[in-house]
Amino acid sequence: MNRYMKTGAAIALIAVVTAGATWVPRWGYRGHELTGYAAATNLPKAMPEFFREARKQLEYLNPEPDRWRLPDSIAQEMNRAFSNDHYVDLEVLSPYVLEARDRWEYLKRAQASGVKDARDAGFVQYRILELYQRLEREFGLWRVERNKDRRELIEERILNDAGLLGHYVADAANPHHTTVHHDRWAAGYPNPNNYTTERGFHSRFESVFVENNIRNSDVLPLVRREPREISDVRAGVMQYIQTSHALVPRLYDLDKQQAFTADNKSEVHKAFAVGRLVAGADMLRDLWWTAWVHSAETAKGTN
């Protein structure tokens, strides 16, 4: 069982005990919905109308991959295939490994560099790129399709994949999803600042704290009014993940000062969490917009 599955199992157990069969996933449903809502609000009028009017759908779909998780006794194959797509452990990966062009070459390089189980290093950067490329292609197909019924089918495909893309972008906005210190300061790593080594930090931050302290009105005003076109999507995604990773010490410092809990009303802690949600919404809007703009070229030569 990899680290993401272990964290999910622990959170699921807590949720079952405290709320019947309710499961509380990473970022919680609320954090993912906050990101999806903010990203889908006030999109540029140059984007297709069907996309601009799909805010509720894009908000709903942001948590979707977490809804798929089931006990291993029911869905072990699915869980093992996709659970590693939500994170990347940057500490165990060299620049050479991260420069791999796809997840398969990445696995080979990671294994060759001594990573014991390369799958458990995570794939979030590739999942984002894979879904982005699919979305760009789908926008291109939509541009050239003239049959109304078929165009509507393409629209549903676009919205579904745009929503799923949002999930992984939101995951990577949380520094916990970029590090071996995903739930507590990992054993075997120097800990001179005496950061917490107790399990549960992950869910305390992105589920409990966010659910109880952050609303749409906190996030939406801070999202950039206009999305930016990303000239090099691969480089942009890696920079986004590395920027999030650089905040791991800050996240742990804040928790050391005052734990991220439901009743933590610190404005500094709130500003940090809001900042991460805004970063996720900004990046998601940028990727949607870039896919739309670049699809004009993708559409050329499409039958």
Side-chain angles (χ1 to χ4, degrees), residues 130-147:
E130 291 156 3
L131 283 167
Y132 165 82
Q133 291 165 7
R134 185 185 299 174
L135 184 61
E136 181 183 319
R137 175 58 172 161
E138 289 159 358
F139 271 134
L141 293 171
W142 183 86
R143 284 178 181 272
V144 300
E145 183 58 62
R146 296 294 173 258
N147 180 282

Side-chain angles (χ1 to χ4, degrees), residues 32-172:
H32 276 289
E33 288 173 345
L34 284 163
T35 303
Y37 178 91
T41 300
N42 298 324
L43 288 167
K45 292 184 178 179
M47 294 197 77
E49 183 179 11
F50 81 87
F51 197 89
R52 289 185 283 111
E53 293 183 347
R55 184 175 68 183
K56 288 185 178 180
Q57 187 171 351
L58 292 167
E59 176 186 12
Y60 171 82
L61 285 169
N62 201 287
E64 188 76 343
D66 282 340
R67 296 188 183 107
W68 297 337
R69 297 190 59 76
L70 291 165
D72 277 358
S73 60
I74 299 173
Q76 178 176 323
E77 294 82 2
M78 178 180 70
N79 291 343
R80 190 64 182 112
F82 298 112
S83 62
N84 307 75
D85 285 346
H86 299 254
Y87 68 90
V88 60
D89 291 340
L90 289 181
E91 291 89 350
V92 303
L93 302 167
S94 69
Y96 172 73
V97 174
L98 292 170
E99 289 166 0
R101 295 305 303 177
D102 56 53
R103 66 169 67 206
W104 314 117
E105 181 62 26
Y106 166 81
L107 282 172
K108 291 179 182 178
R109 292 187 181 192
Q111 204 76 41
S113 70
V115 177
K116 185 175 181 180
D117 188 338
R119 294 172 301 177
D120 285 347
F123 300 104
V124 71
Q125 69 276 35
Y126 292 103
R127 188 59 175 153
I128 291 172
L129 289 167
E130 291 156 3
L131 283 167
Y132 165 82
Q133 291 165 7
R134 185 185 299 174
L135 184 61
E136 181 183 319
R137 175 58 172 161
E138 289 159 358
F139 271 134
L141 293 171
W142 183 86
R143 284 178 181 272
V144 300
E145 183 58 62
R146 296 294 173 258
N147 180 282
K148 180 179 179 296
D149 292 338
R150 290 174 62 88
R151 212 177 202 212
E152 289 177 354
L153 294 174
I154 297 171
E155 289 171 6
E156 289 303 313
R157 180 75 267 158
I158 287 171
L159 293 175
N160 188 71
D161 285 336
L164 298 186
L165 170 62
H167 179 88
Y168 301 99
V169 173
D171 273 350

